[in-house]
Amino acid sequence: PDFDEKAIEVLKYIIERSESVIVIAHAAIDMLKKQGIPYKKCVVIPHGCPSVDCTKGKSIKESLGLKGRLVASTFGLISSGKGIEYAIQALPEVIKKEPQIVYLIIGETHPEVRKHEGEKYRNELTRLVSELGLEENVRFTNRFITKRELIKYLQATDIYLTPYISPNQISSGTLTYALGAGKAVVSTPYYHAQEVLANDRGILCKFKDSTSIAEGINRLLDENFRGEMQKRAYKYSRQFLWKNVAKKYIKRIK
């Protein structure tokens, strides 16, 4: 929302020369209005996701060595903006109620981050896990995974976490994928999360607040409550399927 003067100039230049402007969340339309940018040619078309069968994932958990575990996960390119340390710090409070929880942190370090600071952030997370004695409750998958693997991990997930630290994030592909797989989500209230997790489709927690994250996860330990939230998320996310997103683009350019 706080563009500098040069960014506004570039954005106006692009929009003036564009037949149509796609934004991924309704919050972006409001931002354009506030910046005095013509928005009538803008349309919201959401971030897409693959079609994933909604499953309780028991057999998939077994294949991943997660039999009997309650699985929380975060996936994507890893950087400090993900706020993963706050999710890790939330675990001791959750473990008191659910000792079998395991938190999967899936994905390699962002290439640009690795270029400038190496594996500093991941090493800090690893040290935090060790300091808190969470070696049995946190697993890292330090590599880029295929779409097939990602879907498998999502199907094995019970609770998806996006503890991002920036309120200005307008879109999260990982959040869209999690909803598309019918997962219950605990997330900080960045722009995209506020929009897609409204109406009890997920739980919003405070920024940089491990206690708040723990409270959100603990609410989802109730299997019936979690199941109802998963159903709402799955039903809502059908509009995000790639085939439906593609149709919206085609309709817009005709």
Side-chain angles (χ1 to χ4, degrees):
D2 303 314
F3 283 164
D4 60 35
E5 192 174 325
K6 182 63 177 177
I8 292 291
E9 181 185 333
V10 171
L11 187 57
K12 285 182 177 179
Y13 183 93
I14 293 169
I15 289 177
E16 285 168 5
R17 287 156 181 77
S18 298
E19 192 81 18
S20 186
V21 179
I22 310 300
V23 295
I24 309 181
H26 288 88
I29 297 285
D30 295 332
M31 288 181 198
L32 291 174
K33 288 180 182 178
K34 288 175 183 176
Q35 298 290 357
I37 293 169
Y39 60 89
K40 291 182 180 178
K41 61 173 76 172
C42 296
V43 62
V44 177
I45 299 180
H47 194 299
C49 69
S51 179
V52 178
D53 290 335
C54 193
T55 172
K56 290 189 176 181
K58 288 184 179 179
S59 61
I60 295 171
K61 283 184 181 182
E62 286 187 29
S63 71
L64 293 170
L66 299 167
K67 184 179 180 180
R69 307 297 295 268
L70 180 82
V71 179
S73 71
T74 296
F75 82 87
L77 295 172
I78 304 300
S79 68
S80 58
K82 300 288 187 180
I84 293 170
E85 63 270 33
Y86 298 102
I88 292 172
Q89 289 166 354
L91 291 178
E93 199 60 36
V94 178
I95 289 168
K96 292 177 184 177
K97 295 187 175 183
E98 179 48 81
Q100 290 303 308
I101 190 168
V102 60
Y103 181 31
L104 308 181
I105 301 167
I106 305 162
E108 65 179 342
T109 299
H110 195 294
E112 287 301 312
V113 172
R114 191 188 300 118
K115 192 184 299 182
H116 296 289
E117 57 182 61
E119 295 289 348
K120 178 184 175 183
Y121 180 60
R122 185 183 295 276
N123 291 337
E124 288 173 356
L125 296 179
T126 304
R127 277 195 298 273
L128 180 60
V129 168
S130 180
E131 288 168 7
L132 295 174
L134 296 173
E135 289 88 350
E136 295 299 315
N137 300 95
V138 178
R139 296 185 188 179
F140 292 90
T141 301
N142 186 12
R143 60 185 175 83
F144 183 82
I145 62 173
T146 65
K147 179 183 171 184
R148 184 186 295 273
E149 287 178 295
L150 172 58
I151 289 173
K152 195 172 181 180
Y153 276 115
L154 279 174
Q155 289 178 321
T157 294
D158 299 295
I159 301 170
Y160 192 75
L161 306 178
T162 59
Y164 303 163
I165 63 176
S166 171
N168 296 331
Q169 185 156 339
I170 200 73
S171 176
S172 167
T174 71
L175 176 57
T176 304
Y177 273 50
L179 291 172
K183 299 299 134 181
V185 177
V186 176
S187 176
T188 48
Y190 51 91
Y191 281 115
H192 190 205
Q194 287 185 51
E195 190 166 306
V196 298
L197 300 181
N199 300 318
D200 296 320
R201 290 186 294 266
I203 293 176
L204 296 176
C205 58
K206 297 174 184 176
F207 289 106
K208 299 182 179 181
D209 191 325
S210 58
T211 300
S212 181
I213 295 171
E215 288 171 353
I217 296 172
N218 281 338
R219 287 181 63 194
L220 289 170
L221 297 181
D222 182 320
E223 196 168 344
N224 291 329
F225 178 69
R226 187 171 73 244
E228 289 303 311
M229 186 170 286
Q230 289 171 337
K231 287 176 186 176
R232 287 191 291 271
Y234 193 73
K235 182 178 179 181
Y236 173 75
S237 68
R238 298 308 85 195
Q239 63 181 302
F240 302 152
L241 298 184
W242 285 121
K243 65 178 182 179
N244 294 330
V245 168
K247 287 175 184 176
K248 290 180 181 178
Y249 274 91
I250 291 168
K251 183 178 179 182
R252 184 64 180 178
I253 61 177
K254 276 185 176 180

